[in-house]
């Protein structure tokens, strides 16, 4: 089995950096400017040419080049030695930790078979991004999408995907790394407060990495039109899955939501409250034949370890999607904690498995079904709602969520196993203190059901 070699280099000043080696060759380390890897020039115990690394996919070794201060491996001076996992190379005050990562001989390839390994890891992120992104060669991209519709900082705009409150989303291709990604770019007419929220989303996302979260890849917060690039989920979202297939059987919906709760547990442990969880904000990516849910859209998320976030949400503002908001979020959006997100996930699950809301009000799925059944020609769901005679003011809807008890899910689905119904209903309890204590506890309860 061949291996990718990663060397993590750190000095006594606490500065560290990593280098990745995949292509066979010799690499000289030392203080001289013409070395391949330059070590700290202010370290008196490092020679101009201190040692040479011999790298090949099936073996790696170091050979000493310094007469006065020989290179050490695991505390012992060496002339030449093969490297193993977790070996520590020492040159003066600099320590270099060896990481040998087993990889296939062609570790990134296009669907057509083209080897994209060199491009994919040209910025050193291929391993970190792992299963988060897809790769394609230029020829396949051009055959599939035609010429780019435009470019932004080297990213090819392939097609428009949609728009949200803060910006537009595009499918993009980065020819330098062969990655297919999604780009979110703020609109030109965005208000200053909206720009601040957009930049906040960038700062939150770039510190997160989890299989059940959308993955930040790149971005720009420049003066023109800020944007960020993220992994592209190719299979829609939980809302579109419900629209396409109807109410989702509980073994499937429970598993999708349990996996989403893995991601939610991760961000909660980072001190982040999402505050806008709903089926549309849980996107789906097909991986090895199954759908992997990924939480996205952190535009109104709040990080409790930073007071800056509080300044961006006014005392009387209410943000989020109404039917997925907890009573606490409606009454005090600024100060909601983890229990509010658990409620939102609970309503999402209720909706996915039943097609209905836990209150006496038509859901988007029910409205679409009504429009289809009655052969109505309408442009928006709100027009279908008027035909149903169910249009109400936002205030009336908010009051309903605050005052009315959620309808137990077994009244919607009498055949749902009792333990499964209890798992859903607990997440919707009026008091946040009576819900699950964590996303992990909610996740475990759902997995016990399937």
């Amino acid at each position: 089995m061949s291996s990718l070699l990663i060397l993590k280099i750190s000095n006594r000043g606490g500065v560290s950096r990593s280098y990745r080696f995949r292509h066979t060759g010799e690499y000289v380390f030392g203080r001289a400017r013409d070395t391949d890897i330059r070590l700290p020039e202010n370290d008196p115990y490092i020679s101009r040419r201190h040692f040479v690394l011999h790298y090949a996919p099936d073996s790696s070794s170091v050979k000493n080049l310094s007469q006065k201060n020989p290179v050490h491996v695991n505390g012992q001076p060496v002339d030449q030695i093969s490297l193993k996992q977790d070996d520590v190379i020492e040159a003066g005050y600099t320590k270099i930790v060896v990481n040998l990562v087993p990889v296939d001989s062609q570790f990134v390839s296009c669907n057509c078979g083209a080897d994209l390994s060199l491009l994919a890891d040209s910025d050193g992120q291929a391993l970190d991004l792992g299963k988060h992104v897809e790769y394609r060669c230029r020829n396949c991209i051009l055959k599939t999408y035609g010429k780019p519709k435009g470019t932004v900082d080297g990213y090819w705009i392939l097609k428009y995907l949609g728009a949200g409150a803060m910006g537009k989303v595009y499918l993009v291709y980065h020819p330098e790394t062969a990655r297919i990604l999604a780009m979110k770019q703020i609109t030109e007419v965005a208000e200053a407060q909206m720009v601040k929220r957009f930049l906040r989303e960038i700062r939150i996302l770039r510190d997160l990495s989890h299989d059940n979260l959308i993955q930040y890849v790149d971005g720009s917060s420049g003066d023109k039109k800020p944007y960020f690039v993220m992994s592209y989920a190719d299979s829609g979202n939980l809302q579109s899955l419900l629209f396409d297939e109807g109410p989702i059987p509980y073994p499937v919906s429970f598993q999708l939501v349990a996996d989403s709760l893995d991601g939610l547990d991760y961000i909660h442990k980072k001190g982040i409250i999402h505050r806008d969880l709903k089926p549309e904000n849980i996107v789906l990516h097909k991986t090895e034949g199954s759908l992997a849910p990924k939480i996205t859209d952190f535009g109104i998320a709040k990080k409790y370890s930073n007071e800056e976030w509080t300044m961006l949400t006014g005392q009387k503002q209410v943000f989020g999607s109404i039917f997925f908001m907890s009573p606490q979020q409606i009454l005090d959006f600024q100060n909601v904690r983890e229990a509010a997100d658990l409620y939102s996930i609970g309503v999402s699950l209720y909706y996915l498995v039943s097609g209905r809301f836990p209150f006496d009000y038509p859901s988007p799925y029910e409205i679409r079904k009504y429009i289809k059944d009655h052969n109505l020609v309408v442009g928006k769901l709100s027009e279908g709602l008027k035909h149903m005679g169910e249009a109400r003011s936002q205030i009336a809807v908010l009051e309903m969520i605050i005052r009315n008890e959620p309808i137990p899910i077994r009244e919607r689905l009498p055949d749902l196993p009792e333990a499964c119904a209890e798992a859903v209903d607990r997440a919707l309890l009026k008091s946040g203190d009576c819900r699950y204590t964590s996303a992990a506890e909610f996740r475990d309860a759902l997995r016990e059901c399937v």
Side-chain angles (χ1 to χ4, degrees):
M1 171 70 75
S2 61
S3 298
L4 175 70
L5 173 64
I6 303 176
L7 297 181
K8 184 175 182 180
I9 303 175
S10 58
N11 59 37
R12 62 178 175 175
V15 177
S16 64
R17 60 192 191 277
S18 294
Y19 292 92
R20 298 165 189 247
F21 302 85
R22 181 168 177 81
H23 302 286
T24 300
E26 294 187 349
Y27 304 87
V28 177
F29 289 63
R31 287 192 294 119
R33 292 186 178 182
D34 60 350
T35 53
D36 297 297
I37 306 296
R38 196 176 182 195
L39 300 177
E41 58 182 334
N42 59 354
D43 187 334
Y45 298 104
I46 293 179
S47 301
R48 288 176 54 79
R49 287 172 175 76
H50 203 94
F51 68 91
V52 61
L53 166 72
H54 298 266
Y55 171 73
D58 57 352
S59 65
S60 299
S61 64
V62 295
K63 181 179 180 180
N64 181 56
L65 298 177
S66 175
Q67 294 182 349
K68 293 183 178 180
N69 303 296
V71 65
H72 286 60
V73 175
N74 300 328
Q76 299 297 320
V78 299
D79 181 47
Q80 185 168 347
I81 190 172
S82 296
L83 295 175
K84 306 184 302 298
Q85 176 67 19
D86 298 326
D87 277 348
V88 179
I89 305 167
E90 297 173 86
Y93 293 113
T94 297
K95 292 187 176 183
I96 305 169
V97 179
V98 174
N99 184 14
L100 294 167
V101 182
V103 294
D104 296 331
S105 58
Q106 193 179 63
F107 103 111
V108 174
S109 62
C110 180
N111 286 350
C112 70
D115 186 356
L116 303 175
S117 300
L118 185 60
L119 286 173
D121 203 40
S122 59
D123 61 355
Q125 292 195 75
L127 279 178
D128 294 334
L129 293 175
K131 297 181 292 184
H132 292 292
V133 301
E134 299 288 336
Y135 295 88
R136 295 290 183 273
C137 69
R138 290 191 187 206
N139 288 339
C140 287
I141 289 293
L142 291 171
K143 286 179 182 178
T144 304
Y145 299 99
K147 293 183 178 180
K149 311 305 184 290
T151 61
V152 176
D153 289 350
Y155 290 95
W156 293 1
I157 306 296
L158 301 181
K159 69 176 183 179
Y160 172 75
L161 294 176
M166 291 195 293
K168 297 179 179 179
V169 182
Y170 303 93
L171 181 68
V172 300
Y173 177 68
H174 192 228
E176 293 183 11
T177 58
R179 295 178 190 136
I180 297 178
L181 302 160
M183 174 184 287
K184 186 174 183 180
Q185 187 173 41
I186 200 161
T187 57
E188 294 181 2
V189 295
E191 298 177 356
Q193 194 79 341
M194 198 68 76
V195 174
K196 289 181 180 179
R197 289 200 184 100
F198 189 87
L199 297 179
R200 174 180 67 182
E201 183 173 10
I202 293 177
R203 289 193 292 273
I204 287 178
L205 261 183
R206 67 187 178 194
D207 291 333
L208 304 177
S209 181
H210 190 278
D211 286 347
N212 297 114
L213 302 180
I214 210 71
Q215 177 68 42
Y216 174 91
V217 177
D218 188 16
S220 171
S221 54
D223 295 333
K224 295 181 180 179
K225 286 170 50 176
Y227 71 86
F228 64 87
V229 179
M230 54 191 163
S231 54
Y232 170 58
D234 59 9
S235 298
N237 55 48
L238 292 180
Q239 174 78 287
S240 63
L241 183 67
L242 174 64
F243 283 171
D244 292 343
E245 300 186 9
I248 303 166
Y250 82 86
V252 177
S253 57
F254 276 40
Q255 186 59 58
L256 287 170
V257 171
D259 291 346
S260 304
L261 285 162
D262 266 337
L264 185 61
D265 183 56
Y266 169 83
I267 68 169
H268 282 176
K269 287 176 179 176
K270 293 271 189 179
I272 296 167
I273 312 301
H274 190 282
R275 302 196 293 188
D276 196 18
L277 289 167
K278 56 184 178 180
E280 290 172 291
N281 285 343
I282 300 177
V283 294
L284 299 169
H285 185 66
K286 187 169 287 186
T287 303
E288 298 176 355
S290 62
L291 292 176
K294 296 175 181 289
I295 297 172
T296 188
D297 203 339
F298 287 76
I300 61 172
K302 179 169 182 174
K303 189 169 185 178
Y304 272 85
S305 60
N306 193 328
E307 288 301 319
E308 174 193 1
W309 309 140
T310 301
M311 301 301 294
L312 295 180
T313 53
Q315 294 281 345
K316 296 182 180 179
Q317 290 175 306
V318 175
F319 292 98
S321 300
I322 293 178
F323 284 102
F324 298 93
M325 289 167 52
S326 69
Q328 293 80 14
Q329 185 163 335
I330 293 170
L331 295 171
D332 188 7
F333 169 79
Q334 185 179 1
N335 294 307
V336 292
R337 298 304 300 258
E338 292 84 350
D341 281 347
L342 300 183
Y343 179 95
S344 299
I345 285 280
V347 176
S348 298
L349 177 56
Y350 189 112
Y351 175 48
L352 290 174
V353 76
S354 70
R356 306 176 72 179
F357 286 143
F359 297 98
D360 188 18
Y361 197 84
S363 70
Y365 173 76
E366 290 177 293
I367 299 170
R368 281 171 58 100
K369 188 174 185 301
Y370 181 90
I371 292 171
K372 182 179 179 180
D373 292 346
H374 291 78
N375 297 313
L376 299 177
V377 180
V378 296
K380 298 179 180 179
L381 289 181
S382 58
E383 295 174 21
L385 192 62
K386 291 178 181 178
H387 280 278
M388 297 174 73
E390 292 284 0
R392 305 180 204 176
S393 69
Q394 179 173 304
I395 294 298
V397 172
L398 293 174
E399 289 180 347
M400 176 181 66
I401 295 171
I402 292 170
R403 296 177 180 176
N404 296 359
E405 289 294 328
I407 298 170
I409 194 166
R410 289 193 89 187
E411 291 189 20
R412 307 289 202 198
L413 299 171
D415 294 333
L416 185 67
E418 186 174 351
C420 298
E422 291 176 355
V424 177
D425 289 340
R426 181 178 172 186
L428 305 183
L429 293 174
K430 285 289 185 187
S431 170
D433 293 337
C434 296
R435 296 174 204 144
Y436 294 97
T437 59
S438 68
E441 185 186 11
F442 190 5
R443 174 203 63 205
D444 293 345
L446 296 183
R447 286 181 175 162
E448 286 181 7
C449 295
V450 296

